[in-house]
Amino acid sequence: MKAPTRLGILTSGGDCPGLNAVIRSVVSHATLTYGWQVFGIPYATQGLLERQIIPLHVHSFDLRGIDPLLSMGGTILGTINKGNTLACIDDIIASYQALALDALIGVGGDGSIAILSQLALHGNWQFIAIPKTIDHDVALTERSIGFDTATNTITDALNRLTFTAASHDRVMVVEVMGREAGHLALQSGIAGGADVILIPEVPYSITALCRHLAELRDRWQRRFAIVVVAEGIHPAMDVAELINQSPSCGRGQYIADCIIQCNTYPVDTRVSVLGHIQRGGIPSALDRLTAAVFGKAAVDLIANGKSNQMVAWQNGHAVAVPIEQVCDRSPLAVDPGGDLVQTARALGIYVGE
Ligand code: F6P
């Protein structure tokens, strides 16, 4: 009798809510439908290199019959988002062989998927990727695990900050994550009622921003404002001579300083850097659902002999796309002329230019 397939799974890159839910989905489907053995590899390629594997069983983490994986943030496998993996490519390939794995599922962002795919091609592994990222910058998929929860977390923060900003007549500058992409800032900014959203993809002018704040005050008698700043924005050109401070400080602080210096009336500003709070928390229903669908689809792709594909969500379906194409088009930027930017502007939000 043929030995059961030995399937490995690892999580790579920055953590996000929904990773444990995807591990749960993979373990359940691979075990219950196909009778495979599933092994978790701790700390991504580091665990591979060190030849560490953890057998994963259905319900193995249950507490009094409750499966915590569905609702737990982070990843029980641990993860890494730094290091020069490709420098030890031969050692990792040797370790993979020693672990006698038949196939691997890697849950990661665009960087991790590209590296794992390189390893898989060199080692001739059967490899399927699942996209996760709060930055939402993996190309060719409309959903990535973690983005929905992070958007909800920021939206909730904006709601809270609105009340304190309004009570003190303050301009509240809120810096959010996203690396070089503005998806998180744009979507949570619209959902959270921001007055200004600055993203890397759309150049902004401090003069125009301040004019917008003045109009809010003078025309609409709004004495406070919420300014959402993506961490990846580039310094504005029109204030270079006004701001001595190096823009190497956080972008939120930089924008707050620009607002203070460029306004013709005194503005009380405060800066909130939401930081890693955006990556924590209980996964939203949508992220759990995406995790369930993606985990199942990845296992089916392996059962059907596919490799070097990424599971993606397109037009209401889970589909498989070649990783090569994903890498060519990632990181995915916000479309400056797209519906979301236009919608924000239609709602009176300043989004640059
Ligand atoms: O890519 C996810 C992300 O959270 C980015 O939005 C952010 O810039 C970065 O990771 C932070 O990384 P670290 O956990 O290393 O501080």
Side-chain angles (χ1 to χ4, degrees), residues 46 118 185 288 309 314:
Q46 191 182 310
Q118 285 295 312
R288 295 182 200 194
Q309 310 267 310
Q314 292 179 355

Side-chain angles (χ1 to χ4, degrees), residues 81-82 133-135 177-179 231 276 279:
N81 65 353
K82 304 249 162 3
T133 166
I134 67 160
D135 304 337
M177 284 184 169
R179 291 192 197 269
E231 65 177 353
H276 291 79
R279 290 229 303 253

Side-chain angles (χ1 to χ4, degrees), residues 33-217:
T33 311
Y34 296 107
W36 297 345
Q37 292 175 336
V38 185
F39 299 93
I41 296 152
Y43 301 104
T45 47
Q46 191 182 310
L48 267 184
L49 190 62
E50 293 167 2
R51 304 186 181 189
Q52 292 186 39
I53 50 174
I54 305 162
L56 298 174
H57 307 287
V58 180
H59 300 307
S60 54
F61 295 93
D62 282 10
L63 301 167
R64 286 179 51 86
I66 300 164
D67 184 347
L69 291 189
L70 195 55
S71 54
M72 237 172 93
T75 164
I76 53 158
L77 295 177
T79 185
I80 49 169
N81 65 353
K82 304 249 162 3
N84 188 3
T85 302
L86 293 177
C88 9
I89 192 163
D90 292 334
D91 294 336
I92 294 176
I93 287 168
S95 297
Y96 184 89
Q97 230 161 5
L99 293 172
L101 294 173
D102 297 304
L104 180 70
I105 292 177
V107 190
D110 61 330
S112 299
I113 290 175
I115 290 168
L116 290 166
S117 162
Q118 285 295 312
L119 289 167
L121 288 171
H122 278 80
N124 203 22
W125 308 345
Q126 190 186 3
F127 172 64
I128 297 295
I130 296 179
K132 68 87 217 166
T133 166
I134 67 160
D135 304 337
H136 199 38
D137 57 355
V138 176
L140 299 180
T141 181
E142 291 156 19
R143 289 190 197 169
S144 296
I145 296 165
F147 176 69
D148 184 65
T149 310
T151 307
N152 287 334
T153 302
I154 300 168
T155 303
D156 176 59
L158 296 181
N159 288 341
R160 292 167 192 258
L161 290 167
T162 296
F163 294 117
T164 171
S167 304
H168 288 267
D169 295 347
R170 282 175 174 158
V171 173
M172 196 63 81
V173 179
V174 188
E175 182 183 304
V176 306
M177 284 184 169
R179 291 192 197 269
E180 286 295 313
H183 305 281
L184 258 187
L186 181 61
Q187 298 197 27
S188 56
I190 295 172
D195 301 294
V196 173
I197 304 173
L198 303 184
I199 57 176
E201 296 86 346
V202 183
Y204 62 94
S205 141
I206 290 294
T207 315
L209 191 165
C210 290
R211 208 183 305 124
H212 182 74
L213 295 180
E215 185 178 324
L216 280 179
R217 195 190 60 155

